[in-house]
Amino acid sequence: MLTLIGSVHAQNVYRWTDQQGRIHYTDVPSHAVKATEIQCPPLPTPQQVEDAKQRMRREQQAVEEMLAQRLAADRTEGIPRPSGLGPLPSNEASRYMRTRGVGVSCEWRPGQPPNYAYGFTLALQVHDDVPVGAVIEAEFENPSDAARPLLAQAKIDDSGPGQVKVIDVFLLSPLVDTIRCGNYGVSVRLYRSKQSRELLGTHQQLIQSRVDSALWRALGPNVFDYLSRHGHVCPYP
């Protein structure tokens, strides 16, 4: 989702390249370098912004309904849950952030024999009052070494000269070779900027892994068939 900020009038933007080949955008032409004038389209009207918000609310509701239907199907269609894990953790909300989704990723690595690496994903939505330039730092629990969390970082930024603040953030942890079925925590900190390090808020989330890397490797080419039939790759007790 996008939040639109800035003037209600269209404004020209000037594009120029410095001596190091880096591209810059400014709203004031530079007399020292040759700049190309870019005519920006007018910003949307308040009604267009409201219509976009309504569409996003409907899409969000549709996604939540789809997830609820999938969980209901898991319960009624006989897909067994791994023992000891409990239900999927709920998406948490805090002062400046809310969780939109979590997951466990698996990346194939070629070799003899082929092997896999695993990581965690966390999709966040930050509130409108989070300033541009704010930095999000996440510490994912490390399945291999609890004393060395997996670190990921993202910055709240504008998406180009139209001054559109991006409020959806996707974080991917570094990959590890080993993962177990279980619930793993991720701690998120929000700083005003990378320079100031003023802590604005924190956020906590649990991510459930339904993958055991040892069983994944043991199943070999049959792992995806097992996953489709059981809904997980966890060993039974």
Side-chain angles (χ1 to χ4, degrees):
M1 288 193 288
L2 305 177
T3 299
L4 304 176
I5 60 175
S7 169
V8 296
H9 301 290
Q11 184 179 9
N12 290 348
V13 172
Y14 299 89
R15 180 181 186 273
W16 56 278
T17 305
D18 62 21
Q19 294 181 348
Q20 286 73 40
R22 294 173 297 190
I23 297 175
H24 301 265
Y25 293 92
T26 62
D27 56 358
V28 178
S30 173
H31 299 291
V33 296
K34 182 179 180 181
T36 301
E37 182 178 353
I38 301 174
Q39 177 65 44
C40 295
L43 292 179
T45 65
Q47 183 59 49
Q48 289 173 322
V49 172
E50 181 59 30
D51 291 344
K53 289 182 178 179
Q54 292 292 339
R55 287 196 300 272
M56 288 186 288
R57 293 190 189 103
R58 291 193 297 269
E59 291 172 1
Q60 179 182 343
Q61 182 179 0
V63 170
E64 291 172 351
E65 291 175 353
M66 180 186 66
L67 291 175
Q69 292 170 1
R70 188 185 69 184
L71 293 177
D74 281 0
R75 289 190 293 268
T76 60
E77 293 178 7
I79 297 178
R81 290 180 178 274
S83 61
L85 288 187
L88 288 172
S90 59
N91 290 345
E92 302 294 340
S94 56
R95 167 64 181 85
Y96 290 101
M97 292 167 279
R98 63 185 293 262
T99 300
R100 296 295 304 276
V102 298
V104 175
S105 67
C106 179
E107 179 179 306
W108 177 74
R109 291 176 172 176
Q112 295 294 332
N115 57 80
Y116 296 87
Y118 309 88
F120 299 106
T121 61
L122 174 64
L124 294 172
Q125 181 187 89
V126 300
H127 292 187
D128 292 346
D129 52 353
V130 173
V132 171
V135 172
I136 292 176
E137 293 183 356
E139 290 188 358
F140 295 84
E141 187 177 347
N142 189 338
S144 302
D145 186 352
R148 301 179 62 185
L150 307 172
L151 306 179
Q153 186 182 90
K155 181 181 178 182
I156 306 302
D157 211 345
D158 288 336
S159 63
Q163 299 185 23
V164 178
K165 185 173 73 173
V166 177
I167 61 174
D168 279 341
V169 176
F170 183 80
L171 295 160
L172 174 63
S173 76
L175 300 176
V176 293
D177 295 328
T178 301
I179 195 170
R180 297 287 181 260
C181 293
N183 296 314
Y184 295 89
V186 51
S187 298
V188 182
R189 293 184 295 275
L190 175 68
Y191 296 98
R192 182 172 297 277
S193 69
K194 186 175 182 180
Q195 291 74 26
S196 72
R197 305 298 291 177
E198 176 189 349
L199 183 64
L200 297 180
T202 60
H203 185 77
Q204 302 291 326
Q205 180 64 50
L206 281 179
I207 303 176
Q208 186 173 105
S209 168
R210 293 188 175 189
V211 172
D212 182 283
S213 53
L215 179 57
W216 187 290
R217 288 192 295 269
L219 289 169
N222 299 318
V223 64
F224 294 105
D225 177 64
Y226 186 95
L227 180 62
S228 65
R229 288 187 289 108
H230 295 273
H232 63 81
V233 187
C234 296
Y236 289 104

